[in-house]
């Protein structure tokens, strides 16, 4: 016997409750069902069971008593708290006995031909009503798994199967329709997740009449029969094979095309259980023409149908590569991608499953429809689905190079704008190092991403920002995204720490904030400004004392320490002032040291000022760090009023940064 799943049981009960709500002929005695704590409720149940055991004569009074008792018990059985009491008082044998009595309709002197002619109509109506009530009560009691075998052992199943055949000998009436629905429902409840009872239904001959009822002239009967077949087919190969042998597939495919969403929901569910782990049946289903109507079901107004259709397509996709290609060619990808935006978590999960299977062979279609972005940025609840998404994204990355990439580049260049942008964003995440330059420099992928930054749609801007940041992160694995200081045109000579502000051999003195700083002309030549000062026609050339305005003593001291040693420790408190001095004296190495320190202080609050600073002092390392920060923190910065105007203004800088980085990181050029 299979594992029990309480959530699935509750779902089965909710479906039954909806069925009963739709059933206008079902007697409403809600006050009884809600009185489980009433002191007389047990006596009431016992009274109904006793009536069923004693009222066996054909008299009008006994018939009325039986009909009332069956109705009352079926209503009380809707209350789970009363089910054990109903069973303990022996309701199941009593209900089965009356079910058998009604099933023996043809044996009590009323011939089938007489039924067709409408004679003894009161008797026929009574028996149909009682049989319906008994089937309903058993259906409700069987929702509890521990009661399934009890009901089966009481002999209910042969009666239920015989009643399914009633449509062949009885004139169609509302009573017959209601009976067939309830009998199919009882079989569904009895067989639900019970392997032994599923098999027993087949052995009792229950599958052929259920398949016949798929074509019955009533939608609710069709639904009930399909629901029963769906249950019987689940993980039961013998039942699957018999359902197919009974030629159910053509009818199920027709049901997929029904305008009633509840009909195609049940039909797609039956087909899904038939093909599960059954490759041969899967082929039969596809040959029967199920693929296109299943794809059409992805756009159903019923979310349950959409879920089942997505799951079924995922199963179809496991057949072979050709089937995956057919699924893509017939338009399945766009609705599957749309499902990823649904607030229904289960719908997103089923879509993820299907796309994961399809990603092995139709990568370009998924990317073209925007599937990559939806998978990358989607919210998925279960760990299993998250793992499926990760595997799908990895599969897309693995399948992108080669022939697929050529197709994607073609789409990026010649498809409509929305597709071009979706492809460019996806490739920023998926492309290999060898393909980056081809995609983003040679084929204008970078231009597409930068154009998206100008889009009026915030979501698109966010996607482009994330794509650019990912592109930079991948490129930085092979080269640094930050510039190194260019070499000085003058050979460096470092006197060492001991000569900093040392009067020994000093040949020039700087006056800074009224204080003397001793220096050596030869050591200062690494600064273009100092070299021009001492070698040019300036008055400082021969001066022994040179006044340094607009620089604080501690800033000047650090600058000179760098000139004498080639290195210096810079903290944030002094980094900006030191950067200004380094820029003024053209000390690129010191500028880089200052920039690295300042970069650590970039934040959402100061990024705008930091970028202005990078422009003011031509600090390219700081500028590049600001660009990456603005792209990475799009979600936090996009609400700032200054953000979009700033990004638009610095687009040329962003373009230059990425163009240089992509070319520099290209393996062939490294």
């Amino acid at each position: 016997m299979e594992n029990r799943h309480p959530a699935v049981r509750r779902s089965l009960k909710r479906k039954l409750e909806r069925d009963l709500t739709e059933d206008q002929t079902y007697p409403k005695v809600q006050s009884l069902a809600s009185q489980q704590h009433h002191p007389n409720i047990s006596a009431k149940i016992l009274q109904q069971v006793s009536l069923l055991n004693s009222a066996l004569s054909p008299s009008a009074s006994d018939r009325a008593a039986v009909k009332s008792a069956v109705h009352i018990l079926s209503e009380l059985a809707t209350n789970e708290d009363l089910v054990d009491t109903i069973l303990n008082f022996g309701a199941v044998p009593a209900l089965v006995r009356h079910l058998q009595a009604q099933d023996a309709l043809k044996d009590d002197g009323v011939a089938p031909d007489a039924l067709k002619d409408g004679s003894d109509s009161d008797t026929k109506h009574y028996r149909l009503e009682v049989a319906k009530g008994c089937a309903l009560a058993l259906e409700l009691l069987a929702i509890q798994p521990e009661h399934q075998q009890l009901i089966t052992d009481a002999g209910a199943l042969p009666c239920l199967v015989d009643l399914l055949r009633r449509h062949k000998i009885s004139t169609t009436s509302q009573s017959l329709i209601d009976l067939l629905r309830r009998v199919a429902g009882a079989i569904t409840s009895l067989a639900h997740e019970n392997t032994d009872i599923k098999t027993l239904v087949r052995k009792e001959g229950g599958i052929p009449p259920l398949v016949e009822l798929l074509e019955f002239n009533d939608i609710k009967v069709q639904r009930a029969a399909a629901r029963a077949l769906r249950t019987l087919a689940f993980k039961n190969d013998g039942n699957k094979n018999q359902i197919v042998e009974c030629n159910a597939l053509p009818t199920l495919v027709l049901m997929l095309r029904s305008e009633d969403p509840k009909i195609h929901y049940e039909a797609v569910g039956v087909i899904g259980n038939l093909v599960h782990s059954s490759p041969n049946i899967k082929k039969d289903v596809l040959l029967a023409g199920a693929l296109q109507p299943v794809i059409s079901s992805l756009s159903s107004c019923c979310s349950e149908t959409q879920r089942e259709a997505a799951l079924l397509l995922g199963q179809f996709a496991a057949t072979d590569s050709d089937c995956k290609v057919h699924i893509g060619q017939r338009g399945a990808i766009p609705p599957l991608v749309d499902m990823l935006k649904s607030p229904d978590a289960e719908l997103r999960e089923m879509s993820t499953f299907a796309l994961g299977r399809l990603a092995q062979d139709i990568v370009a279609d998924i990317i073209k429809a925007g599937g990559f972005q939806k998978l990358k940025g989607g919210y998925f609840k279960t760990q299993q689905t998250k793992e499926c998404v990760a595997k799908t994204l990895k599969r897309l990355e693995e399948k992108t190079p080669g022939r697929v990439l050529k197709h994607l580049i073609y789409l990026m260049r010649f498809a409509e704008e929305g597709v071009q942008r979706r492809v460019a964003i996806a490739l920023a995440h998926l492309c290999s190092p060898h393909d980056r330059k081809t995609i983003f420099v040679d084929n204008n992928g970078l231009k597409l991403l930068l154009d998206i930054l100008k889009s009026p749609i915030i979501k698109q801007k966010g996607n482009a920002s994330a794509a650019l940041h990912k592109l930079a992160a991948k490129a930085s694995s092979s080269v640094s995204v930050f510039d190194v200081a260019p070499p000085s045109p003058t050979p460096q000579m470092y006197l060492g720490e001991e000569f900093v502000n040392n009067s020994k051999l000093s040949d020039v003195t700087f006056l800074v904030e009224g204080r003397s700083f001793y220096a050596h002309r030869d050591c200062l030549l690494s600064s273009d400004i100092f070299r021009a000062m001492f070698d040019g026609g300036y008055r400082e050339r021969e001066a022994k004392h040179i006044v340094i305005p607009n620089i604080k003593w501690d800033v000047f001291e650090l600058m000179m320490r760098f000139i004498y040693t080639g290195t210096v420790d810079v903290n944030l408190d002094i980094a900006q002032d030191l950067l200004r001095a380094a820029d003024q004296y053209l000390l690129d190495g010191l500028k880089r040291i200052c920039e690295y320190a300042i970069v650590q202080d970039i934040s959402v609050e100061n990024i705008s000022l930091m970028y202005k600073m990078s422009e003011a002092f031509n600090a390219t390392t700081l500028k590049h760090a600001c660009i990456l920060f603005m792209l990475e923190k799009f979600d936090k910065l996009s609400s700032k009023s200054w953000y979009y105007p700033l990004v638009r203004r610095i687009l040329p800088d962003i373009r230059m940064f990425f163009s240089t980085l992509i070319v520099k990181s290209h393996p062939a050029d490294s």
Side-chain angles (χ1 to χ4, degrees), residues 71 158 162 183 212 261 293 302 371 390 395 468 474 549 552 563 569 574 579 633 638-639 649 655:
H71 286 168
D162 283 343
V183 170
E212 292 171 1
C302 173
R395 192 170 293 134
L468 286 165
K474 294 174 76 171
K552 297 178 181 178
I563 292 173
D569 292 329
I574 203 170
L579 174 64
K633 302 298 182 182
S638 58
S639 60
R649 181 176 69 79
R655 179 180 291 105

Side-chain angles (χ1 to χ4, degrees), residues 304-460:
E304 291 178 322
T305 298
Q306 291 179 294
R307 286 200 300 269
E308 295 291 341
L311 176 61
L312 186 50
L313 283 177
Q315 292 173 316
F316 286 162
T319 305
D320 52 46
S321 295
D322 286 343
C323 185
K324 294 170 191 172
V325 172
H326 288 318
I327 291 171
Q329 289 174 341
R330 296 191 183 195
I333 303 304
L336 283 172
V337 171
D338 285 342
M339 287 182 192
L340 295 174
K341 299 183 290 186
S342 170
D344 185 330
E346 292 183 5
L347 194 56
R348 296 197 301 272
E349 288 166 7
M350 288 301 100
S351 173
T352 299
F353 165 72
L355 289 170
R357 289 283 182 86
L358 294 168
Q360 297 177 13
D361 290 278
I362 50 176
V363 173
D365 289 342
I366 293 173
I367 291 175
K368 178 182 176 182
F372 173 82
Q373 288 92 313
K374 300 297 188 305
L375 289 167
K376 183 75 176 173
Y379 170 73
F380 302 98
K381 193 173 182 180
T382 67
Q383 184 60 32
Q384 184 179 9
T385 304
K386 292 176 183 177
E387 291 172 359
C388 180
V389 169
K391 289 179 181 178
T392 302
L393 293 174
K394 184 65 176 176
R395 192 170 293 134
L396 291 174
E397 185 174 8
E398 292 169 349
K399 296 286 184 176
T400 295
R403 179 177 57 84
V404 173
L405 180 60
K406 290 180 180 178
H407 183 196
L408 290 171
I409 289 176
Y410 178 84
L411 291 174
M412 192 177 72
R413 294 188 63 185
F414 301 112
E416 57 96 10
E417 184 179 71
V419 172
Q420 290 181 334
R421 292 181 170 188
R422 286 194 286 271
V423 172
I425 288 172
L427 287 178
H429 292 269
L430 301 174
C431 70
S432 70
H434 288 276
D435 296 323
R436 272 197 300 266
K437 180 174 176 292
T438 300
I439 297 166
F440 294 100
V441 176
D442 300 341
N443 286 282
N444 291 325
L446 178 59
K447 181 180 182 300
L448 281 169
L449 293 178
L450 296 177
D451 285 345
I452 301 174
L453 292 181
K454 297 183 284 186
S455 167
I457 302 173
I458 294 178
K459 180 67 174 176
Q460 290 186 3

Side-chain angles (χ1 to χ4, degrees), residues 187-239:
I187 291 175
T188 301
S189 291
L190 283 170
H192 188 69
E193 294 190 347
N194 190 313
T195 302
D196 294 337
I197 294 179
K198 288 178 187 178
T199 301
L200 187 58
V201 171
R202 182 179 77 248
K203 291 180 177 179
E204 291 289 345
I207 288 178
L210 284 169
V211 172
E212 292 171 1
L213 288 175
L214 293 177
E215 300 184 57
F216 191 79
N217 192 26
D218 181 85
I219 287 179
K220 292 180 180 178
V221 172
Q222 293 175 16
R223 279 165 41 195
R227 190 177 302 167
L229 289 171
R230 177 180 185 167
T231 298
L232 295 171
F234 185 66
K235 294 185 178 180
N236 190 301
D237 290 339
N239 286 359

Side-chain angles (χ1 to χ4, degrees), residues 102-143:
Q102 314 318 315
D103 181 45
L105 178 62
K106 57 183 179 295
D107 298 327
D108 66 357
V110 182
D113 289 340
L115 291 177
K116 290 182 179 179
D117 295 337
S119 61
D120 201 9
S121 60
D122 290 343
T123 299
K124 183 178 71 171
H125 178 75
Y126 160 75
R127 294 192 180 223
L128 291 175
E129 285 294 307
V130 171
K132 179 189 78 171
C134 291
L136 173 59
L138 294 174
E139 180 181 3
L140 289 161
L141 295 173
I143 287 179

